Amino acid sequence: MSAIFTSHWLFVASVAEIPEPGDYVTVDLGLYSVILIRGDGGEVQALHNVCRHRGSKVLNDTSGSVGNIVCGYHKWTYATDGSLLHAESPAKDFDASCFGLKPVHLKNAGGLLFICLADEPPADFDEVAATVEPYLAVHDIAHTKVAAQIDIIEEGNWKLVMENNRECYHCDGHPQLICSLFPLYGYSEEDVTKRLRPVLHRYQAAEAQLRETCAAHAIPVAVHEELDTRVSGYRIARLPLDGAGESFSQDGRSICRKLLGTAPTARLGHLALHLQPNSWFHFLGDHAVTFSVLPLGPSKSLLRTTWLVHEDAVEGEDYDLAELTRVWQATNTQDVTFVARTQLGVTNPRYEGGPYSPTEYQVEAFVNWYIKRLEHHLQAS
């Protein structure tokens, strides 16, 4: 917790989750609790969720809306920027300006909100954001809304959840997903088996068409990958989808009729973004899906999945909610089983790991990143 989750930038929400002034979400992380709240002027603040009087947790719901932030214990009242507005019966020399809610480092990268609990957060995140934001621009996350958000408790260490996501070696276990997602993630052409050759040929044709479309509309597609060579490790790439190439559906066709942002066509494949240590994302022409992982203990993790659609999209008219969430609900449920089985296996005294497949290079990159960050933490302490 100290070496990773209180020392690095963590994805915790999108701006769509707090659309109006006074809207907030809370994030619990180990002993910490953080409030993300939109102020009266539209700005977003991140504040420690602990009253400056006697330490009560101030906001206890996971989300909501307030005028001011009021502690339920002794009614100390704070503005949305964290400043103390009212304390009952203060001492004569009491200086309210010294007792605002403590701020938390916050970054908004293209509508994605990241916090860092460290006194001095990693400085390289701005470079990562500068690379990522041009890719996100066409999707305009600031003008989306939450269609659904589902939390799952995984019976596994958070590292196992992340490692499971970083490879498609097991993608045959996701029959709903591979209707539209090419199961070639992490593969090079020489890794593709005879069984997957027809898939590769469809992929290559779809990739050529995607690149042509993106070039015509100045949408970036090139892979940027620094998973284990910088503190804020990341990977971003725009990749084709199978079938109609538009969305995560049985035939690859769009699920939401109202496209995101300035998308010139639904056939934009999916923009895949991965950020160390706790998040991954898929941005499509018609919707976006965000994923965040937070540890609840050594063998328990929270996976939060959020589906975003255009802010003007109407459920039942522009999209069917069950169809929108179907693929990733099924995939997450399948991964819950895989992660739980792996947790049981790696804690077995007879477990001895085998070599990674070449297609699992991103798992190895994640592990390399993790080891480097542990080494840095130990040296610093």
Side-chain angles (χ1 to χ4, degrees):
M1 292 297 293
S2 179
I4 304 298
F5 279 90
T6 65
S7 300
H8 295 85
W9 288 103
L10 308 174
F11 170 71
V12 289
S14 71
V15 292
E17 296 174 52
I18 44 175
E20 301 295 335
D23 288 351
Y24 72 87
V25 296
T26 59
V27 180
D28 293 332
L29 184 63
L31 299 176
Y32 294 88
S33 182
V34 176
I35 301 166
L36 281 82
I37 188 166
R38 190 177 290 276
D40 294 336
E43 72 287 352
V44 178
Q45 304 278 349
L47 306 163
H48 283 284
N49 190 13
V50 55
C51 185
R52 295 297 309 281
H53 177 220
R54 284 170 54 193
S56 177
K57 190 175 181 181
V58 184
L59 295 179
N60 294 284
D61 294 333
T62 56
S63 63
S65 187
V66 295
N68 293 314
I69 303 171
V70 182
C71 178
Y73 195 7
H74 298 100
K75 302 301 186 288
W76 278 36
T77 302
Y78 304 88
T80 53
D81 65 0
S83 58
L84 181 63
L85 297 176
H86 173 74
E88 186 73 21
S89 304
K92 290 182 179 180
D93 60 350
F94 181 75
D95 183 355
S97 67
C98 296
F99 293 94
L101 297 176
K102 293 185 176 181
V104 177
H105 296 291
L106 173 70
K107 295 282 188 183
N108 181 342
L112 307 176
L113 300 175
F114 297 80
I115 62 170
C116 184
L117 295 165
D119 292 334
E120 297 183 11
D124 71 332
F125 187 83
D126 287 341
E127 297 173 358
V128 174
T131 300
V132 166
E133 285 177 333
Y135 284 76
L136 296 174
V138 67
H139 302 280
D140 193 11
I141 301 305
H143 291 95
T144 62
K145 67 178 181 181
V146 176
Q149 185 172 86
I150 298 176
D151 287 352
I152 292 177
I153 304 301
E154 301 224 30
E155 299 296 330
N157 185 276
W158 69 274
K159 297 188 298 297
L160 298 181
V161 179
M162 295 301 295
E163 291 171 13
N164 175 74
N165 173 259
R166 290 298 82 210
E167 47 90 359
C168 210
Y169 196 35
H170 73 287
C171 277
D172 280 351
H174 296 312
Q176 294 85 357
L177 180 61
I178 61 175
C179 287
S180 52
L181 184 76
F182 287 104
L184 300 172
Y185 204 69
Y187 283 69
S188 62
E189 188 166 351
E190 55 267 26
D191 297 325
V192 176
T193 62
K194 183 178 180 180
R195 179 178 67 88
L196 289 174
R197 282 285 155 182
V199 179
L200 175 64
H201 296 153
R202 292 202 308 276
Y203 177 90
Q204 290 171 330
E207 183 183 40
Q209 186 173 23
L210 176 64
R211 288 183 174 274
E212 182 178 337
T213 299
C214 290
H217 298 280
I219 298 172
V221 296
V223 178
H224 286 270
E225 183 175 285
E226 296 180 88
L227 288 169
D228 57 357
T229 55
R230 64 159 63 237
V231 177
S232 299
Y234 77 103
R235 183 182 194 274
I236 191 165
R238 188 172 294 278
L239 304 168
L241 289 171
D242 208 348
E246 298 174 348
S247 199
F248 292 124
S249 59
Q250 188 169 354
D251 58 5
R253 296 190 184 280
S254 290
I255 301 169
C256 185
R257 286 201 294 263
K258 193 171 288 293
L259 300 184
L260 297 184
T262 58
T265 173
R267 197 177 174 88
L268 286 182
H270 68 113
L271 177 64
L273 171 62
H274 172 68
L275 289 155
Q276 315 286 31
N278 81 313
S279 57
W280 66 91
F281 311 81
H282 294 285
F283 304 94
L284 304 98
D286 67 335
H287 74 282
V289 194
T290 73
F291 303 82
S292 65
V293 179
L294 295 176
L296 300 178
S299 59
K300 194 181 295 289
S301 306
L302 170 68
L303 172 64
R304 174 165 293 165
T305 308
T306 307
W307 288 261
L308 305 175
V309 295
H310 191 283
E311 62 184 358
D312 295 331
V314 178
E315 182 184 348
E317 295 181 14
D318 295 308
Y319 65 94
D320 177 80
L321 186 59
E323 180 62 18
L324 182 75
T325 61
R326 184 182 65 85
V327 166
W328 282 108
Q329 279 209 71
T331 301
N332 286 345
T333 299
Q334 292 148 6
D335 280 334
V336 164
T337 300
F338 295 145
V339 169
R341 289 172 178 171
T342 306
Q343 178 69 38
L344 291 172
V346 299
T347 54
N348 186 315
R350 290 297 184 185
Y351 166 66
E352 182 179 356
Y356 291 121
S357 161
T359 68
E360 297 174 290
Y361 83 92
Q362 290 185 39
V363 179
E364 189 166 16
F366 171 76
V367 172
N368 289 342
W369 177 87
Y370 177 71
I371 291 171
K372 287 179 181 179
R373 302 319 303 155
L374 284 185
E375 289 174 341
H376 172 81
H377 177 74
L378 292 171
Q379 290 167 2
S381 60

